[in-house]
Amino acid sequence: MDNLSYASAFKLTAFDNLGNNKYAYFSVTLTAYTLIVILNISIITIIITERSLHVPMYIILCNLFFSALIGSTSFYIKLMIDLLADNHVVPRFLCFMQIFFIYVYMMAEFTILTLMAYDRYTAIYTPLQYNTIMTSKRLSTLIIFAWVYPVCMMSIAVLLSARLPLCGNQIDKSYCNNWEVVKLSCVDSTANNAYGSAVFGLFIIPVAFIIYSYVKIIIVCWNSPSSHKHKALQTCLPHLITLVLYLSSLLFEITVSRLNLKNVQNSLSTIASLEYLIIPPLLNPVIYGMILPEIRKKVFHILEKKGRHPHLSKSVTFVLIS
């Protein structure tokens, strides 16, 4: 028990032996983060400034893009600093803060995707009651819950991990990961494992609901006239693509971390981190901007204004090109 300690800092070993490659990695990381910020903020701005888009589906979308900004900023700012630094040590407080915000992003993505499924299910399966069901009050309540739930759940997870005395301080990741910290514990971590399993198990419910909702939507669309079928599927397609992208990347990360695959830990964990922290935040605004007709119309409208007024911001121009 003499070796037990509360580490004041953690060392991220994923940055070992980068050599001069760190500058190339930094350039790629900076480019990816810049694209994520520009794309997500631009779509959020379009939705906020266009009153015709002030409907439940687009309000929920704004929260999805905002969640992506939280997760990306929590990961990439620290990553870029570490890539240029010679010492890859993270103070304990900053490490747990990064864990908190990245995991809030992960959980908020799930809760927001569930809201999107509920909104589309209500709009397509019970269109006559949609305005009665999706009132402003109910929408506000659902969005608040979609954020409060992840914040509360991750606050408990971080507190459970922060109480553990550790026998080491090396994390085999490019960012602070809760499971990696728990694995450093010198004492019994049954409570952490049980809580983590319970949180993971609880997500079976929203996943089941999402699958049920889209199956019902597909059935309704299949039995509808061609014009209604096309419109409904066009609205739901970006949601389904987003869900598949996020679930596949998240399950990949969980599998690598939980199974502790030593022989492929470095390469696969790095790829997984990049996948669920880059691909959904980067592709989501592009997917929604291209497929959803309302946003696409606004984008083309801004493009026309850009042709008449060259002083419009470069960030908007970039989104339109994308």
Side-chain angles (χ1 to χ4, degrees):
M1 297 294 288
D2 293 336
N3 293 327
L4 300 184
S5 66
Y6 290 90
S8 59
F10 295 95
K11 177 177 173 56
L12 303 176
T13 61
F15 298 101
D16 294 344
N17 304 318
L18 284 180
N20 292 330
N21 292 330
K22 66 181 183 180
Y23 299 108
Y25 291 135
F26 175 82
S27 299
V28 172
T29 302
L30 178 61
T31 301
Y33 179 63
T34 302
L35 289 174
I36 289 171
V37 170
I38 291 175
L39 289 170
N40 283 277
I41 289 182
S42 297
I43 298 296
I44 289 174
T45 302
I46 289 174
I47 294 175
I48 291 176
T49 55
E50 296 294 337
R51 293 186 61 86
S52 61
L53 299 180
H54 293 180
V55 295
M57 183 178 75
Y58 294 105
I59 294 173
I60 296 171
L61 271 181
C62 273
N63 285 268
L64 184 70
F65 299 141
F66 182 69
S67 172
L69 290 174
I70 291 176
S72 301
T73 300
S74 302
F75 174 68
Y76 287 107
I77 296 298
K78 184 67 176 68
L79 177 62
M80 288 186 285
I81 293 173
D82 287 331
L83 285 172
L84 296 180
D86 295 324
N87 185 8
H88 308 121
V89 174
V90 187
R92 181 184 180 89
F93 173 75
L94 290 180
C95 188
F96 281 110
M97 187 167 69
Q98 185 181 49
I99 289 173
F100 174 78
F101 283 108
I102 287 180
Y103 277 66
V104 164
Y105 151 72
M106 291 169 58
M107 296 184 70
E109 288 277 301
F110 241 120
T111 54
I112 293 168
L113 287 172
T114 305
L115 286 189
M116 291 166 62
Y118 175 70
D119 175 74
R120 291 301 83 203
Y121 173 82
T122 306
I124 295 174
Y125 198 70
T126 57
L128 298 179
Q129 290 80 38
Y130 179 76
N131 290 330
T132 303
I133 296 173
M134 292 299 290
T135 62
S136 298
K137 183 178 180 180
R138 174 167 293 182
L139 178 62
S140 299
T141 302
L142 291 173
I143 289 175
I144 290 173
F145 176 79
W147 284 104
V148 170
Y149 178 74
V151 168
C152 292
M153 298 295 279
M154 285 320 305
S155 296
I156 296 173
V158 169
L159 289 174
L160 286 173
S161 298
R163 70 182 175 83
L164 294 173
L166 310 175
C167 285
N169 70 337
Q170 294 192 352
I171 296 178
D172 297 327
K173 291 277 187 179
S174 57
Y175 64 99
C176 290
N177 180 285
N178 188 61
W179 179 241
E180 295 297 321
V181 173
V182 172
K183 288 193 293 185
L184 295 173
S185 174
C186 294
V187 298
D188 182 60
S189 58
T190 301
N192 298 73
N193 295 332
Y195 184 76
S197 299
V199 171
F200 182 76
L202 286 175
F203 275 98
I204 295 176
I205 298 174
V207 169
F209 174 76
I210 291 172
I211 294 174
Y212 170 80
S213 299
Y214 285 116
V215 168
K216 296 288 286 186
I217 288 171
I218 291 173
I219 293 174
V220 171
C221 293
W222 188 263
N223 297 324
S224 300
S226 298
S227 59
H228 294 165
K229 182 188 302 183
H230 174 74
K231 183 177 180 181
L233 290 177
Q234 186 180 46
T235 302
C236 294
L237 182 60
H239 302 322
L240 289 171
I241 296 174
T242 299
L243 178 65
V244 171
L245 281 174
Y246 183 69
L247 279 178
S248 60
S249 57
L250 184 59
L251 288 174
F252 187 48
E253 161 68 2
I254 292 174
T255 301
V256 172
S257 296
R258 285 279 173 170
L259 293 183
N260 196 22
L261 304 177
K262 294 292 187 180
N263 56 331
V264 293
Q265 182 73 12
N266 289 335
S267 59
L268 282 186
S269 63
T270 300
I271 293 172
S273 299
L274 293 175
E275 186 179 359
Y276 85 95
L277 287 165
I278 287 183
I279 303 239
L282 186 59
L283 291 186
N284 284 352
V286 176
I287 292 170
Y288 284 105
M290 290 174 56
I291 297 179
L292 291 181
E294 290 80 3
I295 293 182
R296 190 170 64 246
K297 289 176 184 177
K298 299 302 177 183
V299 166
F300 285 128
H301 177 66
I302 295 175
L303 180 60
E304 292 176 358
K305 291 176 62 177
K306 169 61 181 172
R308 295 193 298 267
H309 305 284
H311 63 276
L312 287 179
S313 67
K314 293 182 180 180
S315 61
V316 172
T317 303
F318 182 83
V319 174
L320 300 174
I321 295 174
S322 300

